[in-house]
Each structure stands twice: as C-alpha cells, then as structure tokens.
Amino acid sequence: MLMRTDPFRDVDRLAQQVLGTMARPAVMPLDAWREGDRFVAEFDLPGVDAGSIELDVERNVLTVRAERPEVDRDKEFISTERPRGVFTRRLFLGDTLDTDRIEAQYRGGVLRVTIPVAEKAKPRKISVIDAEGNGQTAIEN
C-alpha cells in the first residue's frame, strides 16, 4: 500500500516558501487511491514533454522525475509564473505492492502510474483437511 506520509513534502513546501518557485520548482501535485487489486497515482505535469519523464524504483521508493524546458531567452516575457526546470517526487511504497509490474501512461499533462498489489499480499482461501476423514472444509484466511 502507499504510505500517506512523505517526510520530504514538508521540506519541499518550506523550501518553496523561502526560496520561491523560480529557484526551486514546485512539487508535482498528486492524487493516489486504491482501485481493486492495484494502486493508482496521478501526477499533474502540464507542459512537460513525455520524453523527459523518468520513473525509477529502488528499495520500495518510486521516484518520478520530469523537466519543463526553460523559457526562450529570445522572447521578451511580460510574465513567467509557471515553474521551469526539473521536478522530482518520491512515493514510499509498502511491501505489499508488486514493483516489478508498475505501468505508467502520460496523457493530457497527467502522468498515471498503476502499481498492482503483490500476489503474496492478496487474500486467499486455505483448505483445511478433516483429519478424522469426514471430508474437507475450506476456511477463509
């Protein structure tokens, strides 16, 4: 399962408040939920080229990295409010997720990452054999 706390998130928020968004680009907004036997996370990445998105998994930490290109210096901008540069976000994954089968799609400025629950973590039935020979009974475990 996804862990609800991210120790880096508060540090990132503080850095944005102190340094401003031009010095430190904003973190990627995230929604995450469970959908049956899988977890889904969606990251808002408008204006990011799909080729700049990188996903890495190491020791149950999913790192998402993306880059929004710098502004064209040949143009005279009146306003540049959208953060530019490299964006990084980490998700701390529980041991019950199958990190070998992660899937990702990018459409309409939203990166959707799907992580299935590991087979070993799914509920299963265990058969109990009646040792007295009266038949078999199944119990849920």
Side-chain angles (χ1 to χ4, degrees):
M1 98 162 66
L2 294 173
M3 297 177 68
R4 294 187 189 269
T5 59
D6 182 353
F8 297 105
R9 189 172 190 176
D10 291 332
V11 174
D12 281 341
R13 282 184 183 161
L14 179 62
Q16 284 180 12
Q17 290 172 355
V18 174
L19 301 175
T21 58
M22 293 308 289
R24 173 119 174 111
V27 295
M28 303 168 210
L30 161 76
D31 289 333
W33 64 92
R34 184 168 180 161
E35 202 172 87
D37 287 343
R38 60 189 179 155
F39 280 91
V40 179
E42 288 185 340
F43 301 86
D44 283 347
L45 294 170
V48 170
D49 181 66
S52 78
I53 300 172
E54 296 177 10
L55 278 81
D56 295 308
V57 177
E58 184 178 346
R59 295 184 185 165
N60 289 354
V61 177
L62 173 68
T63 303
V64 180
R65 182 186 176 281
E67 184 174 358
R68 182 177 295 130
E70 295 296 326
V71 295
D72 185 355
R73 299 288 180 203
D74 295 334
K75 295 178 182 172
E76 182 180 339
F77 279 87
I78 295 167
S79 178
T80 56
E81 295 179 352
R82 297 186 312 154
R84 306 282 178 167
V86 176
F87 301 84
T88 304
R89 183 81 187 254
R90 289 182 181 87
L91 286 182
F92 296 87
L93 307 175
D95 292 331
T96 60
L97 298 178
D98 187 351
T99 58
D100 292 331
R101 295 185 9 216
I102 293 176
E103 295 177 0
Q105 343 177 305
Y106 182 64
R107 183 180 342 163
V110 176
L111 174 66
R112 183 181 180 109
V113 178
T114 305
I115 311 165
V117 173
E119 289 298 321
K120 66 181 180 181
K122 291 181 183 175
R124 62 192 184 283
K125 288 189 179 239
I126 299 172
S127 296
V128 177
I129 299 172
D130 184 352
E132 296 177 9
N134 294 331
Q136 232 182 22
T137 312
I139 62 169
E140 183 114 6
N141 189 6

